[in-house]
Amino acid sequence: GDFDHQDAIQKTLQGATYAICTAAGPTKPSEYPKDFMLNFISQKVWPVLEKETSFKVFLYQSGGFANVPGQSLPFMTKAIRHTLGRFVLGLEPILKDNEAVTEFMVQNNKKESFDFIVTRPSIMEELSEEKPVQANHEAGSSTAISFANLAAFSVDSLTDESLYGKFPFVVPKTV
């Protein structure tokens, strides 16, 4: 859909109990508008969610290299972000925008209205072998997860109260 189509956003969220946002801006950092996702969430989505009395949980998919308010990234994740993420792939504008979104969500969350979850998957791919995923609050993973398993995890997370207000990495499930 169109990020600026407010009527469609309102119709989509009207009467909803849960919402998952996996939307993203342009993937080329040089084409990424400043505060693209922050503006979308803070100006288009959040005001609608605050008005919806039926609404319970908003899940926002960030990224495995994005930091969260009041925390620092694990050492290896930080090292990879600053070398691969910043200098090789040029992801810094996208990461900063995701961090601004999470900061906005923390500052504007009124728990009596609804809760949020911010997932941070690392590497996502179409995989021939599906492996379950899980939340990890300590560190991300360099092992890829499938889009399908991330989607299933996201839906299941909506009713997992232990994740409310949290920023879990999404990693392959360990035995």
Side-chain angles (χ1 to χ4, degrees), residues 14-33:
Q14 185 175 13
T17 305
Y18 304 104
I20 298 173
C21 179
T22 61
T27 55
K28 285 180 78 176
S30 62
E31 297 173 4
Y32 196 87

Side-chain angles (χ1 to χ4, degrees), residues 137-158:
H137 298 284
E138 303 301 319
S141 174
S142 59
T143 303
I145 61 173
S146 74
F147 291 103
N149 283 346
L150 176 60
F153 173 84
S154 297
V155 170
D156 291 345
S157 295
L158 294 171

Side-chain angles (χ1 to χ4, degrees), residues 35-52:
D35 297 332
F36 182 80
M37 287 306 297
L38 176 62
N39 292 336
F40 175 65
I41 298 298
S42 67
Q43 296 171 17
K44 306 287 185 184
V45 174
W46 205 264
V48 176
L49 296 179
E50 286 184 318
K51 291 178 189 170
E52 262 321 304

